[in-house]
Amino acid sequence: MAVAQADPGSDPSGGARFFCTAGRGLEPFLMREVRARLEATQVEYISGKVFFTTCSDLPSMKKLKSAERLFLLIKKQLPVAVSSLHKGRILNEMQRFVNDDPGSWLEAISLWKKLLEHDPKREKVSQRDANPLKRKTGENEIIVAKKLKVEEKQEVAKDHGESQQDKLLQGSPEQGEAVTRTELQEQRLISTTEKATDAQNQEDLTFRVSCRCTGKVRKVITGQEAGRVIGLALMRQFGWKADLRNPNIEIFMHLSDAYSVVGIPLLRVPLASRTYIQTAGLRSTIAWAMASIAEIKAGALVLDPMCGLGTILVEAAEEWPIYHCHHKVWMLLFLTFHLGKNLS
């Protein structure tokens, strides 16, 4: 297994570092795809993730078929040391993700805004309609955001000589929830990308943190605790504000025994969610990989007996447009798909 050690920032020859999540076993397909579609360099992987450098724009990256989600890489470094099993030391080490190199965060935010601004088909999806990474992760985000709101109130009070640190830190969850709910009710639901591009200064950004902990790290700290530490560090370093429902930006972090990764999701809807597939069947990324293995050529006949919902055929039809193949291929695809759909 190859582990990326390259600098997450811009490559000297141009381009930026990104990574995609992929289903287990699909990493080789994704590596070949980013090289072919995006002319990517420095392509390497760890289990479930593929890292690469490219100069391609966001519309080009949206065409990836074997990827689940797309991220702009902020940091990738060695795992957090958990040998001491001392939670305080681990949390202090996590703060260094932000404090040791704030320039990489500012550079990533600038690049993220440019990618969105140069996307002619920007997503017009609000946070309410967006698909979360996972239900469990979404629940973690709620808890993190509530705690960050309480901490933000604490920072404001401290600036005015009215600090009530102990009271805020030891306040009940119900109090934090009430504060969050009241403030969120005053906000309007605006598209995430529209809000992001409207923010003229980085100090105006609002954010939320999604954190996933696996392996030994998970036994010492939870995703909520890790996200809260990163969130507080971001607030103090850059002046950002926590926002659960409609943040300008989402920060994704994965802590494992092999690596620590921090990135920015570039799309609210996963790449694996195909607009041309209305009924879920075989996972779209797997169906595409199976179709690609067939190495379909112009004039070939494609037959998928017992096709079910015909996901493999649909992926093949989308990947190899009709003008590239004999018309009999697409007639067969059409009939087989609808026959399978009716039978199912």
Side-chain angles (χ1 to χ4, degrees), residues 6 15 35 43 59 92 100 112 117 129 148 171 179 198 244 258 272 332:
R35 288 191 180 104
V43 181
N92 286 336
D100 282 2
W112 165 73
E117 290 170 356
D129 298 325
L148 289 177
V179 172
D198 288 341
L244 172 63
L332 183 58

Side-chain angles (χ1 to χ4, degrees), residues 19-24 26-27 30 33 48-50 61-62 64-71 131-134 265-274 282-287:
F19 72 93
C20 289
T21 54
R24 299 297 172 86
L26 291 181
E27 297 94 343
L30 182 53
E33 192 180 6
K49 293 180 178 65
V50 172
M61 288 186 280
K62 286 180 180 180
L64 293 173
K65 297 293 187 178
S66 54
E68 293 286 339
R69 301 204 71 190
L70 173 65
F71 299 83
N131 294 329
L133 291 172
K134 289 184 180 179
L266 292 177
L267 304 170
R268 291 298 175 184
V269 179
L271 292 170
S273 298
R274 313 284 203 244
L282 181 66
R283 187 69 176 169
S284 60
T285 53
I286 298 176

Side-chain angles (χ1 to χ4, degrees), residues 76-212:
K76 183 183 186 302
Q77 56 192 51
L78 296 175
V80 176
V82 295
S83 57
S84 62
L85 299 180
H86 192 285
K87 181 181 293 187
R89 293 179 182 175
I90 295 175
L91 296 179
N92 286 336
E93 186 175 345
M94 289 180 56
Q95 290 181 346
R96 297 174 59 185
F97 289 172
V98 178
N99 299 331
D100 282 2
D101 188 16
S104 64
W105 288 82
L106 297 177
E107 182 180 353
I109 298 299
S110 297
L111 179 56
W112 165 73
K113 294 180 69 173
K114 290 179 181 178
L115 288 170
L116 295 183
E117 290 170 356
H118 290 84
D119 182 9
K121 296 182 179 179
R122 290 184 299 180
E123 291 178 300
K124 304 289 185 179
V125 182
S126 68
Q127 284 295 108
R128 177 176 294 177
D129 298 325
N131 294 329
L133 291 172
K134 289 184 180 179
R135 179 61 180 272
K136 184 176 180 181
T137 303
E139 294 171 354
N140 292 346
E141 294 166 0
I142 294 175
I143 298 174
V144 170
K146 291 174 182 176
K147 291 182 178 180
L148 289 177
K149 283 292 184 182
V150 174
E151 294 292 342
E152 186 179 351
K153 290 286 186 180
Q154 172 193 339
E155 293 293 331
V156 173
K158 184 177 180 180
D159 293 339
H160 290 80
E162 302 171 359
S163 176
Q164 299 178 355
Q165 181 173 358
D166 294 337
K167 181 177 180 180
L168 286 170
L169 288 176
Q170 298 177 4
S172 65
E174 290 78 12
Q175 291 173 335
E177 182 177 0
V179 172
T180 305
R181 185 182 299 112
T182 301
E183 294 184 1
L184 290 175
Q185 286 175 347
E186 298 174 356
Q187 298 176 352
R188 293 180 300 174
L189 291 176
I190 307 175
S191 169
T192 302
T193 36
E194 289 178 341
K195 286 183 63 182
T197 53
D198 288 341
Q200 299 298 322
N201 300 315
Q202 293 199 8
E203 292 80 4
D204 299 330
L205 286 176
T206 58
F207 75 100
R208 69 178 182 184
V209 179
S210 304
C211 184
R212 180 186 178 195

Side-chain angles (χ1 to χ4, degrees), residues 222-241:
T222 65
Q224 295 96 320
E225 292 172 324
R228 179 170 176 264
V229 168
I230 294 296
L232 289 173
L234 291 173
M235 284 175 14
R236 291 166 181 164
Q237 183 69 243
F238 305 115
W240 301 348
K241 296 182 180 181

